[in-house]
């Protein structure tokens, strides 16, 4: 049985432009509820092939990682009532890396906040009741996510053929750590879905939630993983000077033909992203920049502002003296994996955290008045 393909909004829309007078080609398409922008300096045919392959990869990753698409790996994991399910190698690696960021943050960043997040509605400005949040938080703990690798023929799982997937970029050396599998002899339950195939056809990747009421959301790491994979695709196609923007999650490689680096703007938290107002410019070469900001999704209710960065201890927006945190790292997965943690920690603890984590090349910490504090090793 083939995996069902959930429809994705504007799935076929793809705009290609170039090369312009400077030799730059660009592409736009919609994915992950945002606009994806790709820019590169290379032959037009190479750029077109790389851009098309990048869009195809984004469609595949969205169908694996989305919390809302019903047949994604993440949705099946959440709906499995605590049973083991087969997932793709990419999902396995993303979950393993995500657990590492949760551990390093001491739980300030937690990928099992789904049960609490669902109670909030930032579009309609709905604040959940205290009792609802308290009940949801009983099922929040990243340690509930258990992962293991099994031989292709798992006990009791049948001899279904496996699905073909392509390798993804790896943003963290610890991405293959499997966390806390409870029972290594347990079969991988596949339900109506066939197991996912990795590069190594003999390996099956399995995951489960030890608390059946827990809910995983990889929105805080997935775009970083995907940006790194797109970077790998570009390099494989011979495109070496490029910038990938997944709605604010930016990965840059190489330099422009004039030998200048790519430049990104540091968002002013007092203005909307659409306004284009920035606090300064940051050069980016062979690195990624990812920003987490309290201004990105928020609403006001009864004179109080609520933002979308929730505290796993309370279920309410985290109390922080920062409005934004931009992390510069070699991989986009690292940049995204640490950005939410720095924002939640607040200025002083975020600066100390950045200085003690080698993967963070620099962190730009912005307060509500638009003042910028830079933390580097």
């Amino acid at each position: 049985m083939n995996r069902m393909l959930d429809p994705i909004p504007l799935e076929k829309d793809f705009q290609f432009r170039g090369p312009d007078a400077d030799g730059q080609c660009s592409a736009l398409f919609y994915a992950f509820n945002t606009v994806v922008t790709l820019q590169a300096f290379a032959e037009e045919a190479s750029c077109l092939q790389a851009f098309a392959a990048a869009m195809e990869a984004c469609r595949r990753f969205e169908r694996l990682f989305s919390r809302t698409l019903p047949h994604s790996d993440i949705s099946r994991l959440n709906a499995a009532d605590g049973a083991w399910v087969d997932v793709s190698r990419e999902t396995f690696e993303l979950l393993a890396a995500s657990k590492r960021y949760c551990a390093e943050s001491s739980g300030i960043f937690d990928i099992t906040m789904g049960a609490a997040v669902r109670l909030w509605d930032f579009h309609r400005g709905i604040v959940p009741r205290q009792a609802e949040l308290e009940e949801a938080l009983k099922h929040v703990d990243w340690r509930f996510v258990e992962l293991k690798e099994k031989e292709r023929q798992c006990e009791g799982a049948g001899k279904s053929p496996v699905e073909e997937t392509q390798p993804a970029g790896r943003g963290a050396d610890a991405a293959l750590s499997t966390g806390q599998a409870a029972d290594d002899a347990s079969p991988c339950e596949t339900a109506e879905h066939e197991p996912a195939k990795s590069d190594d056809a003999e390996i099956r990747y399995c995951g489960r939630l030890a608390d059946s009421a827990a809910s995983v959301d990889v929105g805080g790491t997935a775009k970083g993983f995907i940006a790194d994979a797109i970077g790998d695709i570009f390099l494989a196609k011979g495109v070496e000077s490029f910038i990938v923007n997944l709605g604010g999650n930016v990965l840059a490689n190489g330099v422009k033909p004039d030998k200048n680096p790519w430049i990104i703007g540091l968002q002013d938290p007092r203005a909307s992203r659409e306004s284009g107002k920035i606090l300064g410019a940051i050069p980016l070469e062979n690195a990624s920049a990812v920003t987490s900001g309290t201004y990105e999704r928020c609403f006001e209710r009864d004179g109080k502002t609520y933002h979308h960065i929730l505290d796993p201890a309370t279920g309410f927006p985290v109390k922080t003296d920062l409005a934004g945190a931009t992390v510069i790292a070699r991989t986009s997965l690292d940049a995204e994996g640490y950005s939410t943690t720095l924002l939640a920690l607040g200025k002083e603890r975020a600066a100390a955290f950045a200085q003690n984590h080698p993967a963070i090349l620099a962190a730009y910490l912005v307060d509500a008045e638009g003042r910028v504090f830079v933390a580097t090793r």
Side-chain angles (χ1 to χ4, degrees):
M1 180 185 297
N2 292 325
R3 186 186 298 276
M4 294 185 66
L5 296 182
D6 296 305
I8 295 174
L10 305 175
E11 183 172 354
K12 300 299 182 183
D13 287 9
F14 177 80
Q15 300 178 32
F16 177 85
R17 298 187 181 95
D20 61 13
D22 296 322
Q24 178 178 281
C25 295
S26 62
L28 294 173
F29 58 89
Y30 188 80
F32 327 117
N33 296 316
T34 191
V35 175
V36 175
T37 306
L38 309 175
Q39 297 168 271
F41 289 98
E43 294 293 328
E44 180 178 355
S46 297
C47 287
L48 185 56
Q49 289 180 5
F51 293 167
M55 186 177 76
E56 182 180 353
C58 285
R59 301 297 180 231
R60 181 165 50 82
F61 284 131
E62 187 162 4
R63 289 189 168 103
L64 290 175
F65 303 154
S66 171
R67 180 177 58 84
T68 58
L69 296 180
H71 299 95
S72 74
D73 281 357
I74 298 302
S75 291
R76 293 189 299 107
L77 184 65
N78 288 338
D81 198 27
W84 288 98
V85 297
D86 289 278
V87 297
S88 70
R89 192 187 76 173
E90 294 97 331
T91 302
F92 181 93
E93 291 182 346
L94 174 60
L95 288 170
S98 299
K99 289 187 63 173
R100 180 170 66 86
Y101 298 119
C102 293
E104 291 187 27
S105 77
S106 298
I108 291 174
F109 173 68
D110 195 308
I111 60 171
T112 60
M113 279 292 287
V117 169
R118 284 199 301 264
L119 298 175
W120 290 84
D121 190 328
F122 287 87
H123 296 290
R124 295 187 294 165
I126 293 178
V127 179
R129 294 193 298 270
Q130 178 78 40
E132 292 178 316
L133 282 174
E134 290 177 356
E135 178 60 30
L137 291 178
K138 295 177 182 177
H139 309 291
V140 172
D141 190 329
W142 58 271
R143 298 174 186 85
F144 291 146
V145 181
E146 298 180 352
L147 303 169
K148 65 183 176 184
E149 301 176 41
K150 299 283 288 184
E151 294 295 326
R152 179 181 177 186
Q153 182 56 43
C154 289
E155 178 187 348
K159 297 183 178 180
S160 302
V162 289
E163 178 184 336
E164 184 73 30
T165 61
Q166 297 297 322
R170 297 179 183 83
D173 291 339
L176 291 179
S177 63
T178 58
Q180 301 166 323
D183 178 7
D184 288 340
S186 304
C188 300
E189 300 294 342
T190 60
E192 296 181 355
H193 296 268
E194 59 189 81
K197 181 181 178 181
S198 69
D199 288 342
D200 180 357
E202 300 306 314
I203 300 297
R204 292 173 63 181
Y205 298 97
C206 308
R208 80 172 188 123
L209 295 175
D211 181 339
S212 61
S215 179
V216 170
D217 185 338
V218 290
T221 51
K223 286 200 292 185
F225 185 97
I226 295 165
D228 289 332
I230 291 175
D232 289 347
I233 289 171
F234 279 20
L235 294 175
K237 298 290 185 182
V239 178
E240 297 183 350
S241 175
F242 61 82
I243 190 164
V244 175
N245 188 336
L246 304 184
N249 185 312
V250 179
L251 174 71
N253 195 80
V255 294
K256 299 179 181 180
D258 60 7
K259 305 304 181 183
N260 286 319
W262 297 93
I263 301 294
I264 64 165
L266 190 62
Q267 173 72 32
D268 188 336
R270 298 164 296 181
S272 67
R273 191 183 294 274
E274 292 73 23
S275 71
K277 188 175 181 181
I278 61 173
L279 298 173
I282 303 172
L284 202 63
E285 180 181 342
N286 301 330
S288 177
V290 177
T291 299
S292 288
T294 59
Y295 52 85
E296 293 177 324
R297 228 177 344 134
C298 59
F299 65 88
E300 187 172 317
R301 182 79 175 270
D302 298 328
K304 185 175 182 178
T305 299
Y306 297 89
H307 61 78
H308 74 293
I309 308 295
L310 303 182
D311 186 341
T314 67
F316 282 93
V318 68
K319 295 179 180 179
T320 176
D321 58 358
L322 293 176
T326 297
V327 174
I328 311 297
R330 287 300 175 202
T331 70
S332 198
L333 182 57
D334 277 338
E336 185 168 31
Y338 291 123
S339 63
T340 302
T341 295
L342 294 195
L343 178 66
L345 286 173
K347 182 176 69 176
E348 291 188 6
R349 290 197 296 161
F353 186 98
Q355 290 165 355
N356 285 286
H357 283 74
I360 300 176
L361 303 179
Y364 295 82
L365 310 173
V366 183
D367 67 16
E369 286 70 48
R371 292 174 295 195
V372 181
F373 306 88
V374 183
T376 59
R377 288 180 57 80

